[in-house]
Amino acid sequence: HVQLVESGGGSVQAGGSLRLSCTASGDTYCSNGIAWYRQAPGTELEFVSYIRAEGSTMYADSVKGRFTVSQDAANSTTYISYLQMDNLKPEDTAMYRCRSTRCSDYWGQGTQVTVS
């Protein structure tokens, strides 16, 4: 099984930056490749970005040019994905969650981002 743990959320003023982390561990295959989603209260879950095991990336139009996703290998079974979020807007306020791209049943618990 793979475990995913997000960190790095917080409160920031509009125009500011945050960097979220998602540590995926416990399984060589499932830990490699992370997708990011977000959900604001009363709204549906929204895709934000992904980075696949081979390094390809994709972004939602709403964050393109402002968010950057990356991934590092900590060891053979642990990968850390980073979501660098710049020029944050109030509409970026949400709970951000990561998910394994290869083993899509596995999600993290989430980290809250609030932009005022």
Side-chain angles (χ1 to χ4, degrees):
H1 296 287
V2 61
Q3 295 180 320
L4 297 101
V5 179
E6 302 94 337
S7 62
S11 297
V12 64
Q13 291 188 337
S17 298
L18 283 173
R19 189 177 78 157
L20 306 185
S21 300
C22 173
T23 301
S25 61
D27 184 278
T28 300
Y29 180 77
C30 294
S31 297
N32 192 356
I34 293 295
W36 288 90
Y37 293 79
R38 66 186 182 186
Q39 188 169 23
T43 68
E44 294 186 352
L45 193 66
E46 176 189 18
F47 167 77
V48 176
S49 179
Y50 70 59
I51 180 164
R52 288 183 168 163
E54 77 278 10
S56 62
T57 60
M58 180 172 283
Y59 299 91
D61 288 343
S62 58
V63 306
K64 202 170 293 183
R66 300 187 298 122
F67 289 14
T68 304
V69 66
S70 62
Q71 181 175 268
D72 291 331
N75 56 52
S76 61
T77 60
T78 301
Y79 292 82
I80 304 172
S81 174
Y82 300 99
L83 186 67
Q84 177 67 41
M85 307 187 296
D86 297 318
N87 190 22
L88 283 161
K89 304 176 181 180
E91 52 263 43
D92 294 319
T93 295
M95 179 70 73
Y96 285 71
R97 299 179 69 190
C98 61
R99 179 188 193 186
S100 169
T101 56
R102 287 173 156 177
C103 305
S104 57
D105 288 342
Y106 295 96
W107 292 80
Q109 292 298 306
T111 186
Q112 178 68 36
V113 171
T114 302
V115 185
S116 59

